[in-house]
Amino acid sequence: MKADFAGLTDRGLVRAINQDSYYADPNGRFFIVADGMGGHAAGKKASRIAKDAILSYLEEKWDSAEPSAVLLENAFLAANEAILADQQANPDNADMGTTAVAVMFRSQPDRGTEPSNGAWYANLGDSRLYRFRETLLEQVSEDDTWVAQAVKAGALSVEDSRTHPWRHVL
């Protein structure tokens, strides 16, 4: 079965500018979406920095022996470090931030600890990963927000989470 990939962003109904950045690897190895945090200084810049840092790390280390889960975690850490470095160099951007999600398909047949055709993902914040097969859209990742954690812990109902004032607090 051949997989098809596409990317599209939209500024939505509330924001004046689109703060999204994304990358779809032409070889289908990985996909990255970063969504600048609206209302924060330089959200568009933060999303671009994160996307570029994750992309750069994955490109540089793709053929390494680094296990896939570690590779993806380190790519996100590289994005965090790049954003922190920019904040230090540009104090006006001290509160810039972004959410991010990435998925990668990486085979390492010589490594006994990984599947031969593994799919790996990571997300921070409320950027979500969905899978669309046939006619079914399925949410794969969980939001990394205060409200999502409260629902998971049983302290808040799913119904109440939809209108909770902290639903976007990361």
Side-chain angles (χ1 to χ4, degrees):
M1 174 174 159
K2 181 186 179 302
D4 291 314
F5 304 100
L8 176 70
T9 69
D10 185 273
R11 70 176 173 86
L13 300 174
V14 179
R15 306 288 175 222
I17 62 168
N18 187 344
Q19 295 187 344
D20 300 341
S21 295
Y22 74 92
Y23 179 81
D25 179 61
N27 297 316
R29 298 176 300 169
F30 54 86
F31 305 88
I32 306 160
V33 176
D35 180 3
M37 291 167 41
H40 291 272
K44 183 175 183 172
K45 184 176 186 181
S47 72
R48 182 187 49 77
I49 291 170
K51 182 260 307 173
D52 289 347
I54 294 168
L55 168 61
S56 178
Y57 192 90
L58 292 178
E59 286 282 356
E60 180 182 330
K61 304 285 188 177
W62 189 259
D63 292 323
S64 73
E66 198 168 7
S68 295
V70 174
L71 177 73
L72 198 50
E73 180 179 355
N74 286 339
F76 271 65
L77 289 171
N80 187 58
E81 290 171 9
I83 289 171
L84 290 173
D86 189 86
Q87 289 172 328
Q88 295 236 333
N90 301 290
D92 289 347
N93 296 339
D95 69 343
M96 75 174 168
T98 186
T99 65
V101 62
V103 63
M104 65 181 198
F105 305 95
R106 186 172 184 236
S107 298
Q108 288 185 305
D110 56 304
R111 299 187 59 83
T113 60
E114 292 192 4
S116 61
N117 192 12
W120 306 88
Y121 73 90
N123 73 299
L124 289 173
D126 58 1
S127 286
R128 297 178 184 159
L129 177 64
Y130 290 88
R131 177 178 41 216
F132 184 70
R133 281 191 181 154
E134 306 285 329
T135 60
L136 180 65
L137 183 65
E138 175 187 10
Q139 183 176 334
V140 176
S141 64
E142 294 180 10
D143 285 3
D144 186 24
T145 62
W146 184 92
V147 166
Q149 297 302 315
V151 169
K152 191 173 185 176
L156 190 65
S157 72
V158 173
E159 183 177 302
D160 289 341
S161 73
R162 292 186 181 111
T163 58
H164 195 281
W166 292 0
R167 68 185 172 277
H168 297 295
V169 174
L170 304 180

